[in-house]
Structures are given as structure tokens and as C-alpha cells.
Amino acid sequence: MTRRFALIGHPVAGSLSPRMIAAAYGGRYPYDLLDFENFEDAWQAFLDGYYGINVTAPFKQDAFAKVDALSEKARATGAVNLVVPNADGYMGHNTDVDGVLRALQETGESYSNALVVGTGGAARAAVYAARALGCEVSVCGRSREKASALDCPSFTLEEACSLTPDLVIYTLPGRVDVPEGLPFEGATVLEAEYRIPRLEGISCRRYVSGRRWMLWQAAAGYRLFTGEEPDVEEMLRAL
């Protein structure tokens, strides 16, 4: 029987995931978008009809609490963006980490001081990846309390304006206005959002599109889904 996959979250309309997996495997695997406001409804839809799922906002931490086992990256980030069955039930992974690492590694640059903007599941992956690249990491968000939960020096958005990072990983959703005064100038800026990018064209040392993050997290995830190597060149063409 053909394995079926899906993305759960809210909202998910406009996601490139179905196009990406079709390109990765020549259309051999069905992939649906499951848009639910309530996580439990989304999880039940997964159990009723799918082998594995991707998880997007706002459900990454709900999925973390729901699965039966966690990968090292998922455990360290406190967020799950992919679920597949294992011997114990369901295993949670975090391939956002892979997306951040590969998107930044392919710039050929090195970084020492990173600022992560945002406090959700994508921000947690960004913190992990930036540390893996050898960075000292700070986090800023609308709530200092939420920022401090990521176990880094924490700042409000206003306080972060005085920082001088050489890397900014921006994880606020596209529907949110870009806060004024963030220290993009002189930094490489990786934006998580790829559907409604807000930072293209900003003044910075280098801009890295969220589509690079999307590409590499998807490639890592599709290997976990299928046990097969995806066709990354076709995925690039789809993007």
C-alpha cells in the first residue's frame, strides 16, 4: 500500500510541501494539507489516514508532548515538526534544525554571534543550529518571559536593537509586521518564512531566503518518511 503523508497546522493553505514531495519522488507519494484550529482534531486526522506527518505552527510543541519517543534534536529543541511510526508508537523529529544548518552552511560563511528573533518552535530549532555552528546565541521576542525560556540571553524586541550580531535568524510569521530597529545591518539574515517573506530587500550583509530552509528541512524529512533519497534538484525546480 502506498504510504500517505500530510502537513498539519493552522493555517497551511499555500504550503509548498505537496509540490515538494511530488518533485522529490516523481509523484509516487500522496501528500495532503490538514488545516485544523485544534491540535487534537489534527492529530486524530493523522491517526485515521496517514503514515507520517509534518507539523507546522502552532502545533510543534503540542506534537512534542504527544509522541511516544523523541530524536535527539527534537528533545533538545522541545519542538517536533515531523512524526513517523516506530516500535514504541510514534517518533518525533525536528528537521528544522537540518534546514537551518544547511541553509547557513551553503553560504560558506562562519558566524560567532547570532540573534534569533522569535520564541516559537522555529526559534528553538534556530537556537540549536546556531549553537552547532559555534555561535553565542541571544533571543528576542515580544515577551521577555517567552524568550528566556529558550535558555539564552533574552531581550525584548526593543532591547535587541542595540545588539550587533553577525547572524540574525528571523522566525516571526509573515503575517506579523517586522519590528522596527532590529540589527540587520552588517549581519547575514536567514528568514524562516517563505510564503510571505518580509525581509527580502532589507539592508543587510547577506539575505538567505526561507526557501533554502524549507528545501533542506524537507529533504531531511522525506528521507525519514520514505527511507529513500529525495531528488533535491527536482525539489529546487519545484521551489
Side-chain angles (χ1 to χ4, degrees):
M1 181 181 295
T2 300
R3 292 181 178 182
R4 299 177 66 212
F5 306 104
L7 171 69
I8 65 170
H10 180 72
V12 296
S15 170
L16 293 178
S17 293
R19 187 187 311 172
M20 293 275 282
I21 201 168
Y25 297 113
R28 289 187 289 115
Y29 292 105
Y31 192 106
D32 298 325
L33 301 178
L34 305 178
D35 195 321
F36 290 89
E37 293 187 17
N38 180 274
F39 172 74
E40 292 298 332
D41 292 338
W43 186 261
Q44 190 60 50
F46 157 50
L47 296 180
D48 288 344
Y50 298 90
Y51 177 83
I53 51 167
N54 287 123
V55 183
T56 191
F59 296 150
K60 292 181 181 181
Q61 283 151 292
D62 295 295
F64 176 89
K66 192 75 167 180
V67 295
D68 304 293
L70 294 162
S71 71
E72 189 276 331
K73 291 172 185 173
R75 187 180 303 280
T77 57
V80 161
N81 79 326
L82 183 140
V83 180
V84 289
N86 75 348
D88 299 318
Y90 288 98
M91 179 87 170
H93 295 267
N94 192 311
T95 64
D96 276 326
V97 173
D98 301 86
V100 177
L101 282 171
R102 289 295 299 271
L104 292 174
Q105 287 168 341
E106 66 184 357
T107 68
E109 299 179 357
S110 59
Y111 308 98
S112 60
N113 185 355
L115 173 65
V116 175
V117 182
T119 58
R124 291 169 181 266
V127 167
Y128 183 102
R131 284 176 169 160
L133 292 172
C135 293
E136 295 291 328
V137 185
S138 300
V139 176
C140 69
R142 286 165 286 186
S143 162
R144 179 194 288 276
E145 181 180 2
K146 288 184 178 179
S148 65
L150 276 71
D151 194 28
C152 295
S154 57
F155 302 87
T156 65
L157 292 168
E158 293 76 15
E159 291 168 340
C161 298
S162 64
L163 302 177
T164 55
D166 58 11
L167 171 64
V168 177
I169 307 177
Y170 185 88
T171 70
L172 296 182
R175 62 183 179 275
V176 175
D177 290 339
V178 179
E180 294 184 5
L182 288 173
F184 299 128
E185 196 77 36
T188 289
V189 177
L190 170 61
E191 181 173 15
E193 177 64 58
Y194 70 90
R195 287 177 292 179
I196 315 171
R198 302 300 299 267
L199 302 184
E200 284 183 308
I202 63 163
S203 179
C204 62
R205 186 174 76 235
R206 181 173 191 155
Y207 173 75
V208 183
S209 168
R211 293 195 173 197
R212 306 306 297 181
W213 179 334
M214 169 65 174
L215 170 69
W216 294 117
Q217 73 84 15
Y222 297 164
R223 292 185 192 99
L224 292 168
F225 276 160
T226 66
E228 303 172 25
E229 191 67 22
D231 188 333
V232 174
E233 289 303 316
E234 285 300 320
M235 291 170 71
L236 276 169
R237 277 191 273 274
L239 278 171

